[in-house]
Amino acid sequence: MLVMKFGGSSVADRRQIDKVLAIVRAAAARRPVVVCSAHKGITDALVHAAREAAAGRFAPETVLERQRGVARACGAADALLAPLEAELTDLLRGIYLVRELSPRSLDFVSSFGERWSVRVIADLFRREGLPADAHDVWDLGFVTDAEFGAARPLPGWEARARAIIEALPADRVPVVTGFIGRTAAGDVTTVGRNGSDLTATLLGAALGAEEVQIWSDTDGVMTADPRLVPSARNIPTMRFDEAAELAYFGSRVLHPATLLPAMAAGIPVRVLNTNRPEHAGTVIREVAGDDVGGVTSIAYKERQLVLTLTAPRMFGELGFLGRVFDACARHGVVVDVVATSEVSVSLTAHDREPLERAAAELASLGEVRVLPGRTILVVVGRHLAARPGLGAVILGAIADAGVNVELISHAFGAVNLTLVVKDEDVSRAVGVLHRVLFEQG
Ligand code: ASP
Ligand code: MG
């Protein structure tokens, strides 16, 4: 079996859905299970309608019209979506009447995008001669906890899903909702924004699929953000740990948690381009051996804060760092990068509010300085520290570009070398690094 996931831009309109049809048709012999997002922009429009209703403005027509536009272009009869339209209208009216939007109601509203899109897509497939059926994922055994906005399937769901899906008619393509789920009590949930990828890897793992394909609008994973570096190129193969590092640091291609289910099940994830299906994309898999690898890619995360705590007392004092991180944890600060010396510790975080609360407490330990507007830049690759001279190349190139590196973190055996620079320096730094790491020698 093969799990093929198509994101919002891949199913944006009739033109894109026709491409999806051709891709799925070509894969029909591999027993594809197709997972779809909502058409591009629909989830945002649903969330907007829900917030408007809670604020006293009942206006379901905007999103309904937008969805109808795509459905009609795909040749769907209005009756196909009418029951779900009525359900959404009732739901928005309820939110409007009570002027209250709980995480539970927001998930319920958000779920309509995927429920509509799979119906429209399966309907088009059938009329174009590819037998297909739309499925809400909960009818395939996907039962979640009640963490609205970040729900996860309950232990034991895999066997049930596998049994249900294997019993579906082998000559019809299942077109399944991404992103959404349902609790055992019947409440609709979502796994989080952009979560259809996660639905796909979870299903892939449950089914023991040969591969999970994530179809999007780039030629797989690139060596750098093509908007910053026009000469960025495709990475044919990556390991899970490298891809996870990249996903975390701003690569728009994959959500960080997405890879975990596939990784645990040892199932390769392939990232492909709906607009260029002939391109092999990037395959992410566990590779045997542990050899010294090259640099895979460069990624970055902007608008970070750097907190530096300078405390002469820290010298030789037991448990000092423990107290620092304890304060961070208590105030809910997520720390990304850390560097320490004998008398100071610097760390990065991205949320101003919790960091300011922690800073107030840390001020009792020493002098605190918080600098906003920083970018974390990571060079990702296997065993970078084992490659003599690489650090000098990287830092030399950045210095030559006139960019100041304010913090460095790097561990032996790690898959990243992390630098912190000012936001305004990021495009220069990424450009020069791409040149020396990928375009020379
Ligand atoms: N439609 C959902 C969203 O926009 C999920 C997804 O696209 O993966 O967040
Ligand atoms: Mg998306």
Side-chain angles (χ1 to χ4, degrees):
M1 275 190 169
L2 179 66
V3 173
M4 310 176 86
K5 179 263 172 181
F6 295 90
S9 61
S10 296
V11 298
D13 49 28
R14 172 70 190 256
R15 212 175 125 237
Q16 292 302 104
I17 297 171
D18 279 340
K19 295 179 192 170
V20 170
L21 170 62
I23 291 166
V24 173
R25 208 196 287 275
R30 294 167 78 187
R31 287 203 69 187
V33 173
V34 174
V35 175
C36 291
S37 293
H39 313 300
K40 187 178 181 176
I42 294 287
T43 311
D44 284 339
L46 286 164
V47 170
H48 182 73
R51 298 223 164 98
E52 288 287 291
R57 288 179 293 273
F58 174 62
E61 279 307 314
T62 320
V63 62
L64 291 180
E65 272 309 319
R66 189 162 174 172
Q67 174 63 47
R68 278 179 206 138
V70 182
R72 285 179 185 147
C74 290
D78 285 354
L80 180 71
L81 302 183
L84 287 175
E85 288 188 355
E87 191 181 348
L88 174 69
T89 306
D90 285 349
L91 176 58
L92 289 173
R93 186 173 294 110
I95 294 168
Y96 162 76
L97 289 173
V98 296
R99 299 280 200 279
E100 191 182 78
L101 182 60
S102 62
R104 176 160 164 257
S105 319
L106 182 62
D107 271 7
F108 194 5
V109 174
S110 308
S111 73
F112 283 82
E114 274 68 12
R115 293 157 80 190
W116 282 328
S117 76
V118 294
R119 283 163 176 78
V120 169
I121 292 163
D123 178 66
L124 175 74
F125 281 12
R126 282 193 297 268
R127 273 180 289 103
E128 296 292 326
L130 182 67
D133 295 302
H135 298 275
D136 294 324
V137 72
W138 51 68
D139 292 330
L140 304 180
F142 194 81
V143 180
T144 74
D145 59 25
E147 279 295 317
F148 298 102
R152 292 295 176 270
L154 294 176
W157 74 279
E158 287 103 333
R160 199 171 45 242
R162 191 174 180 142
I164 295 174
I165 293 172
E166 279 175 354
L168 295 173
D171 55 350
R172 303 182 69 82
V173 177
V175 182
V176 186
T177 53
F179 179 53
I180 65 177
R182 200 165 68 181
T183 66
D187 289 326
V188 174
T189 57
T190 70
V191 300
R193 290 305 305 267
N194 299 313
S196 298
D197 293 349
L198 182 61
T199 308
T201 55
L202 285 167
L203 279 175
L207 294 171
E210 56 171 291
E211 185 172 274
V212 174
Q213 300 184 341
I214 306 286
W215 290 84
S216 148
D217 50 12
T218 58
D219 294 336
V221 185
M222 311 287 281
T223 49
D225 184 344
R227 284 166 305 180
L228 278 194
V229 183
S231 54
R233 52 173 195 258
N234 161 267
I235 305 165
T237 312
M238 295 184 87
R239 297 168 62 124
F240 279 114
D241 53 359
E242 295 170 315
E245 187 73 28
L246 261 190
Y248 182 69
F249 282 102
S251 150
R252 278 82 183 159
V253 176
L254 285 172
H255 189 276
T258 296
L259 294 168
L260 296 175
M263 190 160 102
I267 294 172
V269 175
R270 189 182 292 274
V271 182
L272 292 144
N273 190 348
T274 304
N275 302 316
R276 279 223 293 164
E278 65 284 1
H279 193 289
T282 296
V283 62
I284 302 163
R285 57 153 51 102
E286 222 38 81
V287 182
D290 202 25
D291 27 314
V292 176
V295 174
T296 329
S297 60
I298 305 164
Y300 62 93
K301 206 153 89 167
E302 294 165 287
R303 289 184 294 282
Q304 308 297 301
L305 302 150
V306 176
L307 178 146
T308 301
L309 171 66
T310 311
R313 304 213 324 254
M314 182 178 162
F315 180 75
E317 197 180 321
L318 223 52
F320 189 88
L321 286 177
R323 294 221 290 284
V324 172
F325 290 111
D326 181 52
C328 288
R330 262 183 294 106
H331 292 285
V333 178
V334 179
V335 174
D336 284 334
V337 185
V338 183
T340 64
S341 78
E342 286 295 346
V343 294
S344 75
V345 51
S346 293
L347 48 91
T348 71
H350 52 274
D351 298 310
R352 177 173 293 264
E353 264 177 55
L355 187 70
E356 274 167 2
R357 284 198 301 272
E361 183 175 332
L362 292 173
S364 68
L365 300 175
E367 192 198 322
V368 174
R369 215 160 43 116
V370 177
L371 300 173
R374 268 36 186 191
T375 292
I376 302 176
L377 206 145
V378 289
V379 177
V380 178
R382 296 296 298 176
H383 293 283
L384 297 178
R387 295 186 47 190
L390 188 68
V393 169
I394 290 172
L395 293 176
I398 292 208
D400 289 344
V403 173
N404 190 28
V405 174
E406 301 185 327
L407 201 155
I408 298 181
S409 157
H410 188 41
F412 192 82
V415 292
N416 66 33
L417 186 151
T418 304
L419 313 168
V420 175
V421 302
K422 289 200 179 76
D423 279 347
E424 61 258 34
D425 288 335
V426 66
S427 62
R428 223 162 1 129
V430 172
V432 79
L433 281 181
H434 198 267
R435 247 187 328 280
V436 298
L437 295 174
F438 292 103
E439 297 166 43
Q440 286 166 9

